[in-house]
Amino acid sequence: QIQLVESGGGLVQAGGSLRLSCAASGRTVAINYMGWYRQAPGKEREFVARILKNGRRADYADSVKGRFTISTDNAKNAVYLQMNNLESEDTAMYYCNAQISATVSSWGKGTQVTVSS
């Protein structure tokens, strides 16, 4: 079992920045990717970014490329999402994800990001 705890969400004005953190515990050696997804009210959960646990590869949704940066700290079993130049469309609940295989992953409870225009 893997437990994930997110932090760092909040209210920010458009154009501002936030840094999300996710701490993993439990069977972390089994993790291949860690990443972030988000879900806005009335919409489906969508992919934001993910990174190999060794940090060698990162992928981003087109909507956040150039604005968001994902990073990892293996010593702390943590993943971060630096979000710059935030837009109102970024308002959502952000969820941390730890992928063990193509069909097995764990989720955190989420942290709310609200961007005011």
Side-chain angles (χ1 to χ4, degrees), residues 54-117:
N54 61 18
R56 292 181 180 175
R57 171 177 172 166
D59 301 302
Y60 296 90
D62 287 343
S63 59
V64 306
K65 280 181 182 176
R67 300 188 298 123
F68 291 10
T69 303
I70 190 170
S71 60
T72 186
D73 185 336
N74 282 335
K76 297 181 179 180
N77 287 311
V79 65
Y80 308 97
L81 187 68
Q82 178 67 42
M83 306 185 295
N84 297 328
N85 194 20
L86 283 160
E87 304 168 352
S88 57
E89 291 78 13
D90 297 316
T91 295
M93 184 72 79
Y94 283 70
Y95 297 91
C96 182
N97 172 268
Q99 186 180 34
I100 299 170
S101 70
T103 57
V104 179
S105 64
S106 295
W107 294 92
K109 293 183 178 181
T111 185
Q112 178 68 37
V113 172
T114 303
V115 183
S116 63
S117 57

Side-chain angles (χ1 to χ4, degrees), residues 21-41:
S21 300
C22 173
S25 60
R27 196 166 170 260
T28 57
V29 292
I31 298 173
N32 290 319
Y33 279 95
M34 293 190 75
W36 293 92
Y37 288 70
R38 67 186 182 187
Q39 187 168 17

